[in-house]
């Protein structure tokens, strides 16, 4: 069962008056996907008036230029500009006030617990309010989320967790109480550690996998594990998991007694629709067509 919950809110009135106490819940604007520990939302362009005391650690990045006036945890509004690839940071419990003409933007929201166990390896960490100006990876993160929404949530919860963790790691490295001593990830995984990871993934590929469980196997935070895995193998963990699930589904499809829905669940996909989306992207065919063509099972990539 997927951990992701999806919501689509009608953003007709996007105004939280500045002359009233700040809102302590997130305004329901745009297209949301959330889990108990984090959320991601895409908010369409338009005029905004925001007055918020944030219930989560918020990180926002825009697809285009946004201008107006804003105050990060301050009573004084100042001229404000957000450019593509930059980030606005609003820590949990801090305030954000603005009047702005916004482009389409992405908001990442993190629980405090997610900060500690996903990136900081249990250390106490707080984000610092304010802005990070244009980066080479900011717009890429926004585009990755847009494609995730547009492509039927390809990669599922594992992929989304990978993206939100990578973004958070960069924010902690650049604008947090750990910025000056944040441990850089190892460049590569040692052969035995990599073997342990691959064995675990293959043994549990039909189950609901996440970065935290896999990283625990080798004693790293999810953020550091994901970066080291990609440096060692050339692909991110979610992509390896997806390829192994495709291989398993190819094998299961040889038994025509199993329905497509049963194959999808046994191979670790959220549902039949998700499996079909992945097959189209990876194999340029559907599970039904693959079964009818009696194709040979593919191979999970070999690493190391």
């Amino acid at each position: 069962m997927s951990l992701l919950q999806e919501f689509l809110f009608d953003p007709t009135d996007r105004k939280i008056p500045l002359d009233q106490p700040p809102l302590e819940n997130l305004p329901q604007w745009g297209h949301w996907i959330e889990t108990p520990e984090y959320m991601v939302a895409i908010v369409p362009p338009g005029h905004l008036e925001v007055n918020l005391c944030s219930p989560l650690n918020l990180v926002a990045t825009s697809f285009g230029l946004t201008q107006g006036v804003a105050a990060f945890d301050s009573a004084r509004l100042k001229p404000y500009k957000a450019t593509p690839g930059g980030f606005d940071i609003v820590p949990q419990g801090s305030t954000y006030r603005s009047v702005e003409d916004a482009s389409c933007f992405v908001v990442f929201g993190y629980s405090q617990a997610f900060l500690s166990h996903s990136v900081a390896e249990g250390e106490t960490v707080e984000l610092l309010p304010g802005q990070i100006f244009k980066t080479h990876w900011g717009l890429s993160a926004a585009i990755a989320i847009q494609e995730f929404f547009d492509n039927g949530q390809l990669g599922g919860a594992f992929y989304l967790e990978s993206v939100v963790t990578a973004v958070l790691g960069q924010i902690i490295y650049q604008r947090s109480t750990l910025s000056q001593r944040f441990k850089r990830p190892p460049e590569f995984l040692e052969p035995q550690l990599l073997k342990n990871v691959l064995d675990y993934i293959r043994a549990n590929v039909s189950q609901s996998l996440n970065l935290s469980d896999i990283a625990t196997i080798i004693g790293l935070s999810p953020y550091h594990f994901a970066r080291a895995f990609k440096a060692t193998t050339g692909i991110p963990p979610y992509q390896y998991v997806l390829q192994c699930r495709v291989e398993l589904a190819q094998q299961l499809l040889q038994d025509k007694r199993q329905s497509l829905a049963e194959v999808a669940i046994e191979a670790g996909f959220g549902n039949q629709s998700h499996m079909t989306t992945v097959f189209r992207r990876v194999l340029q065919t559907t599970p039904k067509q693959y079964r009818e063509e009696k194709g040979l099972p593919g191979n999970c990539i070999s690493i190391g």
Side-chain angles (χ1 to χ4, degrees):
M1 180 180 296
S2 175
L3 297 175
L4 306 182
Q5 296 187 29
E6 187 170 9
F7 307 92
L8 186 59
F9 300 110
D10 181 10
T12 52
D13 182 16
R14 298 192 295 178
K15 181 177 181 180
I16 310 172
L18 271 63
D19 60 355
Q20 297 181 13
L23 185 69
E24 296 185 355
N25 298 310
L26 292 181
Q28 296 179 332
W29 298 337
H31 191 173
W32 287 29
I33 293 180
E34 65 178 45
T35 76
E37 288 196 309
Y38 60 83
M39 58 81 65
V40 179
I42 296 182
V43 182
H47 183 75
L48 301 179
E49 188 170 323
V50 182
N51 183 13
L52 179 69
C53 180
S54 181
L56 294 172
N57 292 282
L58 300 181
V59 175
T61 187
S62 299
F63 285 93
L65 180 64
T66 294
Q67 297 187 87
V69 291
F72 291 85
D73 211 21
S74 169
R76 184 181 177 185
L77 293 168
K78 299 179 180 179
Y80 163 80
K81 178 187 292 186
T83 55
F87 286 91
D88 292 347
I89 298 97
V90 182
Q92 181 174 326
S94 69
T95 59
Y96 177 72
R97 302 166 66 242
S98 75
V99 179
E100 58 192 83
D101 291 310
S103 72
C104 181
F105 63 95
V106 175
V107 179
F108 301 87
Y110 305 93
S111 70
Q112 192 63 36
F114 192 84
L115 264 68
S116 296
H117 76 74
S118 292
V119 178
E121 298 183 346
E123 291 194 65
T124 300
V125 57
E126 296 179 4
L127 303 186
L128 302 177
Q131 291 184 287
I132 297 173
F133 294 103
K134 186 174 182 179
T135 67
H136 69 278
W137 49 269
L139 187 56
S140 296
I143 292 171
I145 294 299
Q146 180 74 69
E147 292 179 343
F148 180 77
F149 278 75
D150 291 345
N151 294 326
Q153 299 180 21
L154 184 66
F158 195 101
Y159 174 78
L160 187 61
E161 181 189 13
S162 299
V163 175
V164 301
T165 300
V167 169
L168 181 59
Q170 293 288 347
I171 299 301
I172 288 179
Y173 183 70
Q174 295 197 42
R175 195 170 181 87
S176 78
T177 53
L178 288 185
S179 293
Q180 300 301 315
R181 56 189 182 89
F182 185 55
K183 186 170 64 176
R184 297 294 285 174
E187 292 187 7
F188 299 99
L189 293 177
E190 296 178 3
Q192 185 59 49
L193 294 182
L194 178 61
K195 181 179 185 301
N196 293 344
V197 166
L198 300 184
D199 288 347
Y200 178 84
I201 291 174
R202 292 182 184 123
N204 295 277
V205 70
S206 62
Q207 307 301 314
S208 177
L209 292 168
N210 59 61
L211 279 177
S212 297
D213 290 344
I214 300 173
T216 298
I217 298 299
I218 57 174
L220 294 177
S221 73
Y223 172 72
H224 290 106
F225 159 69
R227 290 180 64 90
F229 184 95
K230 184 175 181 180
T232 306
T233 67
I235 62 172
Y238 83 85
Q239 188 173 329
Y240 180 76
V241 171
L242 208 59
Q243 290 178 344
C244 287
R245 285 176 172 162
V246 168
E247 180 208 27
L248 179 57
Q250 288 176 292
Q251 295 170 356
L252 295 172
L253 286 168
Q254 306 309 305
D255 182 359
K256 294 187 177 181
R257 294 171 297 179
Q258 282 191 293
S259 70
L260 295 180
E262 289 171 337
V263 169
I265 296 302
E266 190 171 342
F269 295 101
N271 50 48
Q272 182 180 334
S273 176
H274 184 215
M275 180 175 69
T276 299
T277 299
V278 173
F279 262 60
R280 284 194 176 118
R281 175 64 66 87
V282 176
L283 301 177
Q284 290 76 53
T285 188
T286 68
K288 182 179 179 180
Q289 291 168 337
Y290 181 87
R291 170 174 274 176
E292 290 173 348
E293 294 163 1
K294 297 182 180 180
L296 295 175
N299 293 312
C300 189
I301 61 173
S302 177
I303 299 176

